[in-house]
Amino acid sequence: MFPWEAFAQVVITQQPQSQNLSSGASLTLTVQATGNGLLSYQWRLNGVNIPGANSSAFSIARFQPSDSGDYSSDVAQVRAADLADLPFTDAMNGQNRLTRSTGRGSNAGATREPGEPNHANKSGTHSVWLSWQAPLLGGVATFDTAGSSFDTLLAVYTGDSVNNLTLVAANDDVNYCDDPSSGFHTSRVRFNSKAGTVYHIAVDGLGGAAGDIVLNWSVNTLEGLLSVLSVAPSVTLGLPGDNLSLSVSVQSLEPVSYQWYLDCQSIPGGTQNTLQIVDLQAAKVGNYVMSVKGLLTGQQTLSDPTSVQINITDGQAIDVAEDGREQVADSQSGRRTLARLPGHANLQHRWGHQRPGRTQPLR
């Protein structure tokens, strides 16, 4: 039984705020609501539905006088009966096309295929697949697993077989500091979809998790193309006093500005594509995020977080395994065991049910 089948009243906890904007400025409206499970959103301008505006936030990259008016968001509780079954398959075949914008499925009993990659670079054993074809105009596509009953992994690929895939986007846990809403165990990806291209969508469970899947997607043909960011390395380990370096590569159609953040706080002087971390200490440990802003459109894109950690705990050296767990090496015996370090909880932004956690906006 899906947890949101029980009746629950939707409560708006934060209303969209009125704004006065100049032509060409960027606009973002947000609404916050609570309910028992998955919520649906529909933004309206002067009472008319805005196509594709189906999340808790609505943005216009370059505001024009014609965009002026009264904006509202209709928030409703989604019941399991409202969700249709999606054509998930255990093996990737490219024929199970996704058409509905929201639906459900399950990865219980599913298995990995020989040669299948680790989705979002994390270990999973119960992957299922869908395919989706971008519309003729392409656009910015958004997929998320809000409302799923387990910790999901989500990945998008192109290619003709599981042994010949090109990664487009992947995510374990949504981690966007600029959105005050927060949840847990939800994955979300956004990418520039190319007209008519067939994409393969994989959903798996972190560390062998399985259960009920809810998949939501939308494509915005009017939104400007996203800058594509890649921060390296994804995890950085050092000793106290070490000097470390983070760098970001950017693919963008316009010139951009840079700003680095540590745990959602802007880093003074961190305005280049490379960040030097000098004299590593506990205060510099955490999650680093790069924000890139288009100088022409004002559109902001955030990178996935990269984790910086000190790798000595109680005299033991820490390495990171491929599945994200830490291998603790006993310097005397040479034995290795798997462990998790405290303080690795990322700041989370989820689009589903919530539990207590720390979240902060970018500052």
Side-chain angles (χ1 to χ4, degrees):
M1 178 176 178
F2 283 83
W4 53 87
E5 286 183 327
F7 173 80
Q9 182 180 3
V10 175
V11 177
I12 303 294
T13 58
Q14 180 175 307
Q15 297 284 353
Q17 300 300 305
S18 298
Q19 302 181 38
N20 294 318
L21 297 173
S22 301
S23 294
S26 61
L27 166 69
T28 298
L29 298 172
T30 59
V31 61
Q32 292 186 42
T34 60
N36 185 15
L38 183 64
L39 302 177
S40 66
Y41 300 85
Q42 177 60 66
W43 286 90
R44 298 182 175 124
L45 172 57
N46 297 327
V48 179
N49 288 350
I50 302 173
N54 305 117
S55 68
S56 62
F58 173 71
S59 298
I60 297 176
R62 292 178 62 85
F63 186 84
Q64 301 298 325
S66 58
D67 297 318
S68 300
D70 292 325
Y71 286 82
S72 61
S73 181
D74 179 58
V75 186
Q77 187 77 48
V78 176
R79 299 170 300 168
D82 298 327
L83 298 178
D85 291 331
L86 297 178
F88 285 107
T89 56
D90 192 355
M92 192 194 94
N93 60 35
Q95 303 303 312
N96 51 340
R97 295 292 173 84
L98 177 63
T99 56
R100 297 178 179 272
S101 60
T102 300
R104 65 181 180 181
S106 174
N107 69 333
T111 59
R112 287 173 55 85
E113 297 180 70
E116 182 175 338
N118 283 336
H119 306 300
N121 292 319
K122 300 292 180 67
S123 176
T125 56
H126 300 294
S127 60
V128 290
W129 295 82
L130 286 168
S131 60
W132 173 75
Q133 186 170 22
L136 293 179
L137 295 179
V140 176
T142 302
F143 286 78
D144 70 57
T145 58
S148 299
S149 65
F150 61 98
D151 192 349
T152 57
L153 304 172
L154 178 63
V156 180
Y157 303 91
T158 57
D160 53 12
S161 72
V162 75
N163 295 304
N164 184 31
L165 295 174
T166 299
L167 179 65
V168 176
N171 181 248
D172 171 15
D173 295 329
V174 177
N175 191 331
Y176 290 152
C177 296
D178 67 338
D179 195 308
S181 60
S182 178
F184 292 83
H185 301 329
T186 294
S187 307
R188 181 173 181 254
V189 296
R190 301 186 75 213
F191 60 95
N192 299 320
S193 66
K194 297 180 180 180
T197 298
V198 174
Y199 295 90
H200 304 287
I201 316 297
V203 181
D204 204 343
L206 179 65
D212 298 319
I213 298 170
V214 174
L215 185 68
N216 318 280
W217 69 272
S218 64
V219 60
N220 190 339
T221 59
L222 301 179
E223 184 176 355
L225 293 180
L226 300 172
S227 297
V228 179
L229 310 184
S230 177
V231 177
S234 59
V235 178
T236 300
L237 303 173
L239 297 172
D242 277 357
N243 296 329
L244 306 177
S245 178
L246 304 176
S247 63
V248 61
S249 61
V250 180
Q251 301 177 35
S252 179
L253 298 178
E254 59 179 316
V256 298
S257 63
Y258 302 92
Q259 179 62 61
W260 287 95
Y261 291 83
L262 170 57
D263 291 339
C264 299
Q265 303 296 316
S266 61
I267 299 174
T271 56
Q272 304 296 323
N273 66 327
T274 299
L275 178 68
Q276 302 297 330
I277 302 174
V278 179
D279 186 21
L280 179 63
Q281 301 297 332
K284 298 180 180 180
V285 165
N287 293 314
Y288 286 76
V289 170
M290 163 59 75
S291 170
V292 167
K293 185 175 182 179
L295 297 181
L296 301 179
T297 64
Q299 180 169 277
Q300 184 185 47
T301 304
L302 296 180
S303 71
D304 287 336
T306 184
S307 178
V308 172
Q309 299 293 336
I310 293 176
N311 71 344
I312 291 295
T313 299
D314 297 331
Q316 296 176 322
I318 307 299
D319 294 327
V320 177
E322 288 185 359
D323 63 0
R325 292 181 294 176
E326 288 77 22
Q327 301 184 58
V328 181
D330 188 317
S331 58
Q332 295 182 354
S333 67
R335 294 176 299 174
R336 287 185 178 272
T337 57
L338 291 175
R340 287 195 177 275
L341 293 179
H344 275 220
N346 289 335
L347 298 177
Q348 305 293 339
H349 160 219
R350 308 293 184 144
W351 297 73
H353 53 282
Q354 300 187 14
R355 68 182 185 186
R358 185 182 71 162
T359 183
Q360 295 177 327
L362 287 181
R363 299 175 188 272

